[in-house]
């Protein structure tokens, strides 16, 4: 049994608390909202996220960081990617330096172009060594994880030992964890697939057809590979759970927040109106800006990412977006 602190009591943080408790660990959740902590402690339900699921009695929640850091062996960051730097900075003083730190957020930081493990490495420098920082990623909607539907993900870290500890800690009969030592590839896959899910939602919302969606997902995977390999990632990672697996589920599932945003844009709604009515964060919106800027800086061609950016932030008509993609100069599909 390990003592584990989860930072963030949103849908995925709550779902992982159930997984980790079922694996025999002592789990402490940190939440911003007092009503969330009260609901979990008194009724064993999160009133704001996946509220139809009962949490194990061993899961407790607090809004006080002091109560959440009773010498945990592992700290899991389940916060939105755009908040990772601030949250990590705020809890740094509560760490003793021996903890394993795991990010489950999927995104690229604006301006710095850092992955979440890189943000944690920079912010926690001097307290947590790089070899103790890792990630968990793959096709894993909280709504299904929390109800013990079969889920398979990958663990990755800056050291093999940490990767293996993450695997052992999260592994349960319905939550299978594979090892993948390509941390940059795993994080690029987790971030870029959210952009492609917005595009897939646009295709569905604008009723552009299954052929268009299949092409978009396939070429989106190619963009993911192109960026990742430019940064030293392994091509095989993008054919695995953190790449193609996560791409499929995020582009097709009713649980996908990013697909939801795209679908409503395809239906003619504005981004501001969509986001203002959402209870949860669609990571792909901010990540689109980060990845497009990053790819331009690196000289990596990512036309779908650019098209999604224009629809989100320049109000380009989705059908014009598709026409632009369809009428680009003819190319070879695979350059050998």
């Amino acid at each position: 049994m390990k003592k584990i602190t989860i930072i963030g009591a949103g849908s995925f943080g709550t779902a992982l608390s159930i997984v980790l408790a079922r694996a025999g660990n002592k789990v402490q959740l940190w939440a911003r909202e007092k009503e969330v902590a009260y609901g979990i402690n008194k009724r064993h339900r999160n009133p704001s996220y996946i509220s139809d699921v009962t949490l194990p009695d061993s899961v407790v929640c607090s809004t006080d960081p002091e109560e959440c850091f009773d010498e945990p062996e592992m700290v899991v960051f389940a916060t939105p990617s755009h908040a990772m730097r601030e949250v990590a900075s705020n809890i740094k003083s509560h760490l003793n330096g021996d903890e394993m730190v795991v990010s489950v957020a999927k995104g690229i930081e604006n301006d710095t172009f850092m992955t979440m493990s890189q943000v944690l490495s920079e912010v926690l420098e001097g307290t947590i060594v790089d070899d103790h920082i890792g990630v968990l990623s793959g096709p894993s909607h909280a709504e299904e994880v929390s109800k013990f539907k079969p889920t398979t993900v990958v663990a990755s870290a800056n050291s093999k030992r940490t990767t293996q500890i993450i695997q052992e800690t999260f592994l349960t009969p319905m939550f299978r964890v594979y090892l993948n030592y390509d941390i940059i590839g795993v994080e690029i896959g987790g971030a870029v697939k959210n952009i492609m899910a917005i595009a897939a939602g646009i295709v569905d919302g604008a009723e552009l057809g299954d052929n268009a969606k299949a092409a978009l997902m396939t070429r989106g995977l190619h963009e993911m590979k192109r960026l990742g390999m430019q940064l030293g990632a392994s091509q095989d990672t993008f054919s695995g759970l953190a790449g193609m697996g996560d791409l499929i589920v995020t582009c097709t599932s009713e649980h996908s927040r990013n697909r939801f945003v795209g679908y409503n844009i395809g239906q003619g709604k504005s981004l501001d109106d969509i986001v203002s009515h959402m209870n949860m964060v669609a990571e792909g919106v901010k990540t689109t800006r980060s990845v497009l800027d990053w790819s331009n800086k690196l000289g990596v061609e990512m036309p779908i990412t650019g098209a999604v950016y224009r629809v989100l932030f320049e109000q380009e008509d989705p059908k014009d977006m598709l026409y632009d993609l369809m009428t680009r100069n003819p190319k070879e599909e695979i350059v050998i």
Side-chain angles (χ1 to χ4, degrees), residues 214-255:
L216 184 144
M217 291 172 64
T218 305
R219 298 308 297 172
L221 181 63
H222 192 68
E223 289 192 16
M224 188 188 296
K225 287 182 182 179
R226 192 183 291 145
L227 177 63
M229 292 174 69
Q230 175 74 19
L231 296 164
S234 167
Q235 182 172 339
D236 288 343
T237 295
F238 303 106
S239 299
L241 291 162
M244 182 172 64
D246 215 355
L247 179 70
I248 291 170
V249 78
T250 313
C251 288
T252 62
S253 174
E254 63 181 10
H255 300 307

Side-chain angles (χ1 to χ4, degrees), residues 7-261:
I7 306 298
S11 57
F12 201 51
T14 302
L16 288 179
S17 75
I18 298 171
V19 170
L20 290 166
R22 286 288 292 261
N25 300 293
K26 182 178 179 181
V27 182
Q28 173 77 56
L29 273 166
W30 175 82
R32 290 183 183 274
E33 307 90 349
K34 290 183 178 180
E35 60 271 19
V36 168
Y38 180 87
I40 290 172
N41 293 330
K42 299 299 181 181
R43 300 189 176 93
H44 305 296
R45 292 204 174 198
N46 186 328
S48 299
Y49 305 96
I50 53 174
S51 56
D52 59 333
V53 177
T54 301
L55 279 66
D57 293 351
S58 58
V59 175
V60 295
C61 187
S62 176
T63 58
D64 183 356
E66 291 287 350
E67 294 180 5
C68 295
F69 288 90
D70 181 21
E71 298 185 350
E73 295 160 74
M74 181 176 287
V75 178
V76 179
F77 281 84
T79 60
S81 58
H82 66 267
M84 183 67 76
R85 182 174 293 275
E86 177 187 358
V87 173
S89 297
N90 290 340
I91 65 97
K92 182 177 181 178
S93 62
H94 300 286
L95 303 175
N96 61 35
D98 295 328
E99 302 90 345
M100 297 288 179
V101 173
V102 182
S103 167
V104 297
K106 299 173 180 178
I108 304 296
E109 189 175 49
N110 287 156
D111 301 324
T112 69
F113 310 136
M114 286 184 176
T115 65
M116 294 302 99
S117 71
Q118 291 168 345
V119 171
L120 289 171
S121 177
E122 181 174 271
V123 173
L124 302 180
E125 184 179 7
T127 301
I128 302 294
V129 297
D130 283 354
D131 281 358
H132 281 193
I133 296 174
V135 301
L136 195 74
S137 191
S140 49
H141 286 307
E143 294 83 355
E144 296 186 2
V145 171
S146 64
K147 295 176 181 176
F148 311 111
K149 294 188 177 181
T151 301
T152 308
V153 297
V154 294
S156 192
N158 292 315
S159 79
K160 289 189 175 182
R161 177 174 175 269
T162 298
T163 305
Q164 292 162 357
I165 290 172
I166 296 171
Q167 179 191 50
E168 294 163 2
T169 302
F170 283 87
L171 194 65
T172 73
M174 289 295 106
F175 196 81
R176 182 171 176 81
V177 185
Y178 282 93
L179 301 173
N180 185 317
Y181 300 115
D182 175 23
I183 188 169
I184 185 66
V186 168
E187 292 194 272
I188 291 297
V192 175
K193 60 91 183 178
N194 284 331
I195 302 170
M196 302 309 154
I198 293 174
I202 292 172
V203 168
D204 286 341
E207 299 181 350
L208 298 175
D210 294 337
N211 293 345
K213 187 173 180 180
L216 184 144
M217 291 172 64
T218 305
R219 298 308 297 172
L221 181 63
H222 192 68
E223 289 192 16
M224 188 188 296
K225 287 182 182 179
R226 192 183 291 145
L227 177 63
M229 292 174 69
Q230 175 74 19
L231 296 164
S234 167
Q235 182 172 339
D236 288 343
T237 295
F238 303 106
S239 299
L241 291 162
M244 182 172 64
D246 215 355
L247 179 70
I248 291 170
V249 78
T250 313
C251 288
T252 62
S253 174
E254 63 181 10
H255 300 307
S256 171
R257 288 167 258 174
N258 293 287
R259 180 188 172 278
F260 175 85
V261 168

